[in-house]
């Protein structure tokens, strides 16, 4: 098996500092070949330059690094294939887990309702207010947390105010806009010591091999029920994540899904344990 990380912008032979701990942990795994790709060359030219040569035969490769837009991932996939590194996750599989509305039909039973719109389509606030008591705005991948943008809109929101806020949303997401606009029902999550109770589960070939606290919650916070974790262990991708959250009423929901290669490890993750679980014998 092979794994590939982004290099620093300055040196193809040095891993990006964000992924240094993961790179070191992966390098300790027996029979795992670890590559770096020149992130500067990729960022500016969308070309892959590796820090070392590859096999003459095509071999499977896992990526751990920054998010790609779907069209970028497709280029990345084919650039590596030309160098005989076949990414484990195909472009269609990446897209399905990366853009939440694509996987929504598979998880709708256990996630808040959504409604989608094309970019720049004017959204009728009255229509949304008939469906949702409260709702948040994101594109198919991300919201704009930790900004001035409202956490949610409700029955008091006017069309004029909403239109103005959507201009702000487009400005914040800018070149990162992906897929379309996703309106999502807003729900309250249960808190423990002022931290919401959220968990990130990594799945590899249908196996939920690690369940990680994802919101800095205290140890007293209960983990996501195993039955719910197991229910979504086969979502048509070999390597993906699901974020789960506990509502204030004690019910558990799916918050987000993601590709396993670009989903970050929560703070305080035992990185060695993660890689031993990922590449277990």
């Amino acid at each position: 098996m092979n794994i590939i990380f982004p290099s620093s912008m300055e040196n193809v032979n040095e891993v990006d500092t964000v992924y240094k701990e993961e790179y070191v942990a992966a390098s300790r795994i027996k029979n795992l070949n670890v590559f770096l790709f020149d992130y500067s060359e990729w960022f500016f030219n969308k070309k892959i330059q590796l820090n070392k040569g590859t096999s003459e035969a095509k071999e499977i490769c896992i990526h751990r690094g920054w998010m790609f837009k779907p069209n970028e991932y497709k280029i990345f996939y084919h650039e590596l294939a030309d160098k005989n590194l076949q990414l484990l996750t195909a472009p269609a599989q990446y897209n399905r887990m990366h853009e939440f509305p694509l996987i929504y039909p598979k998880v709708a039973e256990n996630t808040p309702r959504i409604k989608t719109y094309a970019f720049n389509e004017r959204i009728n606030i009255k229509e949304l207010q008939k469906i949702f008591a409260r709702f948040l705005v994101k594109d198919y991948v991300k919201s704009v947390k930790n900004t001035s943008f409202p956490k949610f809109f409700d029955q008091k929101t006017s069309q004029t105010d909403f239109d103005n806020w959507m201009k702000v949303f487009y400005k914040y997401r800018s070149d990162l806009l992906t897929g379309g606009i996703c309106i999502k029902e807003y729900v309250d999550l249960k808190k423990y010591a002022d931290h919401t109770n959220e968990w990130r589960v990594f799945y590899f070939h249908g196996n939920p091999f690690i369940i990680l606290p994802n919101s800095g919650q205290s140890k007293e916070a209960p983990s996501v029920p195993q039955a719910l974790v197991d229910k979504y262990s086969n979502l048509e991708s070999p390597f993906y994540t699901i974020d789960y959250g506990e509502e204030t009423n004690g019910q558990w929901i799916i918050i987000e899904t993601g590709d396993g290669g670009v989903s970050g490890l929560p703070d305080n993750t035992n990185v060695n344990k993660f890689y031993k679980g990922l590449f277990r014998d």
Side-chain angles (χ1 to χ4, degrees):
M1 182 67 76
N2 304 275
I3 190 168
I4 189 167
F5 293 93
S7 77
S8 72
M9 292 291 282
E10 296 78 22
N11 188 343
V12 69
N13 292 308
E14 293 182 2
V15 68
D16 186 303
T17 54
V18 171
Y19 291 96
K20 185 173 181 179
E21 189 177 4
E22 289 195 42
Y23 177 83
V24 171
S27 298
R28 295 190 181 116
I29 301 297
K30 185 179 180 181
N31 298 323
L32 180 63
N33 196 16
V34 183
F35 287 90
L36 296 175
F37 69 95
D38 188 331
Y39 193 68
S40 178
E41 181 68 12
W42 168 257
F43 185 85
F44 291 108
N45 302 313
K46 295 297 178 281
K47 297 293 182 182
I48 296 295
Q49 178 182 323
L50 301 175
N51 67 324
K52 58 186 178 182
T54 58
S55 170
E56 293 184 1
K58 193 159 288 188
E59 297 182 348
I60 297 296
C61 182
I62 289 175
H63 165 250
R64 281 292 295 163
W66 302 111
M67 283 186 180
F68 298 108
K69 284 189 171 184
N71 63 311
E72 293 174 334
Y73 186 83
K74 188 174 182 179
I75 295 170
F76 187 72
Y77 181 91
H78 290 295
E79 281 280 316
L80 284 179
D82 289 343
K83 292 176 170 50
N84 288 329
L85 289 178
Q86 184 73 58
L87 283 172
L88 176 69
T89 304
Q93 294 171 322
Y94 175 89
N95 296 358
R96 187 178 300 118
M97 301 307 301
H98 186 60
E99 298 189 46
F100 188 73
L102 302 185
I103 197 62
Y104 176 78
K106 297 285 187 180
V107 301
E109 184 178 351
N110 292 104
T111 196
R113 295 171 296 167
I114 68 170
K115 189 171 176 59
T116 59
Y117 296 85
F119 286 137
N120 299 310
E121 178 182 354
R122 191 168 190 241
I123 300 172
N124 187 321
I125 189 73
K126 295 296 184 184
E127 178 184 84
L128 292 180
Q129 289 166 335
K130 291 177 182 177
I131 303 171
F132 308 111
R134 296 178 298 169
F135 61 90
L136 59 83
V137 177
K138 54 181 290 185
D139 64 18
Y140 279 20
V141 177
K142 286 286 186 181
S143 61
V144 287
K145 290 181 180 178
N146 304 316
T147 69
S148 64
F149 194 81
K151 290 182 178 180
F152 63 82
F153 299 93
D154 57 22
Q155 302 299 311
K156 299 176 183 178
T157 306
S158 70
Q159 185 69 57
T160 299
D161 285 345
F162 186 72
D163 289 346
N164 288 333
W165 277 118
M166 285 306 298
K167 293 175 184 176
V168 175
F169 179 86
Y170 283 114
K171 182 178 179 180
Y172 275 133
R173 285 297 284 161
S174 187
D175 293 340
L176 297 176
L177 284 164
T178 303
I181 296 297
C182 179
I183 302 297
K184 192 172 185 179
E185 182 178 15
Y186 186 89
V187 299
D188 291 311
L189 297 182
K190 193 168 184 179
K191 290 186 176 182
Y192 296 81
D194 294 325
H195 291 268
T196 54
N197 193 19
E198 302 175 43
W199 295 79
R200 173 162 292 178
V201 180
F202 279 81
Y203 295 81
F204 190 64
H205 289 305
N207 174 45
F209 71 92
I210 195 165
I211 301 174
L212 301 167
N214 198 35
S215 54
Q217 67 268 49
S218 63
K219 292 182 179 179
E220 68 185 49
S223 181
V224 53
Q226 189 65 46
L228 185 60
V229 171
D230 293 341
K231 180 177 179 179
Y232 293 104
S233 60
N234 290 288
L235 287 184
E236 303 173 8
S237 175
F239 188 29
Y240 62 91
T241 59
I242 299 180
D243 292 350
Y244 297 92
E246 182 188 10
E247 292 187 81
T248 53
N249 62 7
Q251 296 296 310
W252 284 85
I253 58 169
I254 290 173
I255 302 172
E256 296 287 353
T257 64
D259 172 72
V262 302
S263 294
L265 297 182
D267 294 341
N268 301 315
T269 296
N270 184 326
V271 178
N272 288 317
K273 180 180 178 181
F274 174 84
Y275 276 92
K276 288 178 181 178
L278 180 60
F279 294 107
R280 71 193 190 288
D281 293 335

